[in-house]
C-alpha cells in the first residue's frame, strides 16, 4: 500500500520518489523514528487485520517484529505482547514471509504471555460494569468477560456461537 511504502521511506530516510529497501533495519530505527513499543504492536496488529500483504507491508511487518524482539528493555509490556502474538499467529498462516525472521525464542515468549493471560481469572472493569448496568436497564441480554476475552458480549440468540 502507499501508506506502508511511505512509512518505510520515512524509516529509511528516503525522499518520496525513492523506492524503499526490502531489508531489516537496525532494531532501534523504529524507536528513533517515533514508533515505540505500543505503536509497533498497534501497527503489527492493524496491518495483519487489513490482510493486504504486498511487499511493502511484508517488509514493514518484518521490521516491526524485528524491533519488538530486540527491545532494549529486554521485555515488552503485556498488552503489546498480546497484540504481537495475535498478529504472529495469523501471519504464520496468512503471510509467513512477514514473520520469517522472528526467532523461536521470541515467538515462544509471546505465546507464553498469551497463555498466562488466557488462564487468569477475568474481572470486569468499572467501565464494563457501567456498560452492563446500562444494558440491564435497557433489558439487553449480554455476558460479561465472555469467551475469548470479549469484555461485553450482546446475546443475539441464546445458545448461539461466534
Amino acid at each position: 500500500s502507499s501508506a506502508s511504502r511511505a512509512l518505510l521511506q520515512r524509516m529509511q530516510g528516503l525522499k518520496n520518489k525513492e523506492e524503499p529497501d526490502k531489508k531489516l533495519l537496525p532494531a532501534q530505527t523504529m524507536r528513533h523514528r517515533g514508533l515505540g513499543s505500543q505503536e509497533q504492536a498497534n501497527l503489527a496488529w492493524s496491518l495483519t487485520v487489513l490482510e493486504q500483504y504486498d511487499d511493502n507491508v511484508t517488509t514493514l511487518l518484518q521490521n516491526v517484529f524485528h524491533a519488538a524482539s530486540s527491545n532494549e528493555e529486554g521485555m515488552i509490556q503485556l498488552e503489546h505482547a498480546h497484540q504481537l502474538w495475535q498478529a504472529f499467529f495469523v501471519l504464520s498462516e496468512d503471510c509467513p514471509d512477514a514473520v520469517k525472521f522472528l526467532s523461536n525464542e521470541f515467538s515462544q515468549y509471546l505465546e507464553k504471555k498469551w497463555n498466562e493471560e488466557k488462564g487468569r481469572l477475568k474481572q470486569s472493569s468499572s467501565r464494563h460494569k457501567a456498560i452492563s448496568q446500562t444494558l440491564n436497564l435497557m433489558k439487553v441480554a449480554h455476558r460479561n468477560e465472555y469467551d475469548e476475552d470479549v469484555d461485553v458480549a450482546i446475546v443475539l440468540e441464546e445458545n448461539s456461537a461466534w
Side-chain angles (χ1 to χ4, degrees):
S1 75
S2 58
S4 57
R5 182 178 185 274
L7 185 52
L8 277 173
Q9 287 172 320
R10 180 174 168 225
M11 288 172 35
Q12 295 174 4
L14 302 174
K15 296 184 176 27
N16 285 344
K17 303 263 188 228
E18 295 179 273
E19 192 60 33
D21 287 332
K22 308 296 185 226
K23 64 178 182 180
L24 287 180
L25 299 168
Q28 66 275 16
T29 301
M30 287 206 158
R31 186 170 306 286
H32 292 311
R33 300 285 187 196
L35 294 171
S37 299
Q38 180 174 352
E39 291 81 12
Q40 292 168 25
N42 291 346
L43 185 59
W45 185 83
S46 300
L47 291 172
T48 301
V49 172
L50 287 173
E51 298 179 328
Q52 301 295 316
Y53 308 120
D54 64 21
D55 287 345
N56 290 322
V57 169
T58 300
T59 302
L60 194 51
L61 284 164
Q62 289 171 348
N63 278 284
V64 167
F65 279 100
H66 176 61
S69 67
S70 305
N71 191 340
E72 300 97 36
E73 293 92 46
M75 296 303 211
I76 58 174
Q77 290 185 14
L78 200 54
E79 59 271 17
H80 306 159
H82 293 165
Q83 281 186 298
L84 290 169
W85 169 250
Q86 291 169 344
F88 170 77
F89 186 81
V90 171
L91 291 168
S92 336
E93 281 294 316
D94 292 358
C95 186
D97 280 350
V99 292
K100 70 181 180 183
F101 299 120
L102 192 63
S103 71
N104 283 335
E105 293 81 17
F106 190 64
S107 65
Q108 289 169 358
Y109 167 78
L110 295 176
E111 183 177 19
K112 179 180 174 240
K113 291 300 174 191
W114 177 259
N115 288 332
E116 286 173 5
E117 175 65 17
K118 298 304 277 179
R120 77 173 178 84
L121 182 62
K122 309 293 190 290
Q123 292 188 0
S124 293
S125 67
S126 59
R127 181 181 310 162
H128 294 146
K129 287 178 184 175
I131 291 170
S132 183
Q133 283 182 318
T134 302
L135 292 172
N136 282 334
L137 289 171
M138 297 168 62
K139 302 205 182 313
V140 174
H142 65 282
R143 306 272 188 279
N144 291 333
E145 301 305 330
Y146 198 64
D147 291 342
E148 301 303 320
D149 277 349
V150 175
D151 297 319
V152 179
I154 299 206
V155 178
L156 301 176
E157 293 179 26
E158 218 43 64
N159 299 322
S160 63
W162 292 105

